[in-house]
Amino acid sequence: DTAVSQTPKYLVTQMGNDKSIKCEQNLGHDTMYWYKQDSKKFLKIMFSYNNKELIINETVPNRFSPKSPDKAHLNLHINSLELGDSAVYFCASSQQGGAYNSPLHFGNGTRLTVT
Amino acid sequence: KQEVTQIPAALSVPEGENLVLNCSFTDSAIYNLQWFRQDPGKGLTSLLLIQSSQREQTSGRLNASLDKSSGRSTLYIAASQPGDSATYLCAVPNDYKLSFGAGTTVTVRA
């Protein structure tokens, strides 16, 4: 049973398109995250939701919009894709209290390539 | 602002040698420190989480130490195996999110 699952695993699209990445966790966690890993492998937080409420929103272009229909799901929608959006996007989850209390569990990532 | 640094960026050792991976952080007021492993094309797997009140944490061949006052953590992997080849990242909580180091990529030669 996959604890944190993301779909799709690979996404190749053209500039200007709109795309979504889905994430689901079956761990019963309250907090979910989106991280971006750039070409230099550096991981940076984008968003975090706790019980469907947005608690972290880093300096991310408003073309990126997260949506959490329930606490087990956190989807990422990206409008008007740009070349610089090419990266690996990771979903993660943790128990309530987030990173202060419990380990984060990561999905396997979605490799987005914008051409 | 919390900054996390990992040196070296890459490490290559022969099989059987012990591995020592370093992590430093600028703000010593941390709640915990977490070590992850990332295999190519995969997500991150949590290896160890050390609470700020602990000095070390062990799991099998892995041992992580934490020295808050000096802003350092060290991950030791005993008797390395080719299967230990991966990128190892450390992370500390910072405003309800994790701040990551850039990782150390380890290659264990058979």
Side-chain angles (χ1 to χ4, degrees):
Chain A
D1 249 3
T2 304
V4 182
S5 58
Q6 297 178 227
T7 54
K9 184 170 182 176
Y10 299 98
L11 188 51
V12 181
T13 188
Q14 292 184 329
M15 279 195 305
N17 285 348
D18 303 339
K19 290 293 178 185
S20 292
I21 307 172
K22 295 187 176 181
C23 179
E24 176 181 4
Q25 55 95 4
N26 63 6
L27 296 167
H29 288 166
D30 295 302
T31 308
M32 296 185 72
Y33 312 79
W34 278 109
Y35 278 83
K36 178 180 179 180
Q37 188 172 43
D38 60 26
S39 57
K40 294 183 179 179
K41 308 296 184 188
F42 199 67
L43 271 160
K44 284 191 68 175
I45 184 74
M46 299 175 69
F47 302 103
S48 177
Y49 272 72
N50 188 63
N51 277 324
K52 302 192 298 176
E53 282 193 36
L54 181 66
I55 58 171
I56 296 173
N57 184 351
E58 290 291 288
T59 309
V60 177
N62 58 15
R63 297 181 295 103
F64 290 78
S65 53
K67 282 190 173 51
S68 182
D70 56 59
K71 74 174 194 177
H73 295 83
L74 180 61
N75 304 322
L76 184 65
H77 189 76
I78 315 170
N79 289 328
S80 304
L81 278 155
E82 300 178 357
L83 292 176
D85 297 332
S86 296
V88 181
Y89 293 84
F90 286 99
C91 177
S93 71
S94 67
Q95 292 176 354
Q96 191 169 22
Y100 285 106
N101 290 336
S102 64
L104 265 65
H105 296 258
F106 280 80
N108 283 334
T110 296
R111 182 174 293 277
L112 172 64
T113 303
V114 182
T115 61
Chain B
K1 179 185 173 186
Q2 178 73 270
E3 292 186 3
V4 183
T5 305
Q6 291 184 250
I7 295 172
L11 190 57
S12 178
V13 298
E15 183 176 2
E17 193 165 299
N18 296 333
L19 283 163
V20 180
L21 307 178
N22 298 305
C23 172
S24 60
F25 43 93
T26 53
D27 185 350
S28 62
I30 62 169
Y31 282 78
N32 59 56
L33 184 142
Q34 195 167 354
W35 282 95
F36 292 88
R37 169 184 172 138
Q38 185 175 23
D39 292 288
K42 300 280 187 181
L44 280 70
T45 301
S46 179
L47 296 174
L48 290 166
L49 184 148
I50 315 176
Q51 299 292 352
S52 62
S53 57
Q54 297 176 307
R55 291 194 64 84
E56 65 178 66
Q57 186 74 264
T58 298
S59 175
R61 293 184 295 111
L62 275 59
N63 175 277
S65 66
L66 176 63
D67 184 344
K68 281 180 56 179
S69 60
S70 66
R72 290 181 185 174
S73 176
T74 303
L75 178 66
Y76 301 91
I77 304 177
S80 61
Q81 303 168 358
D84 294 329
S85 298
T87 298
Y88 293 83
L89 299 100
C90 65
V92 295
N94 179 25
D95 287 338
Y96 291 95
K97 60 184 181 289
L98 284 182
S99 292
F100 282 87
T104 295
T105 299
V106 171
T107 303
V108 180
R109 308 185 303 271

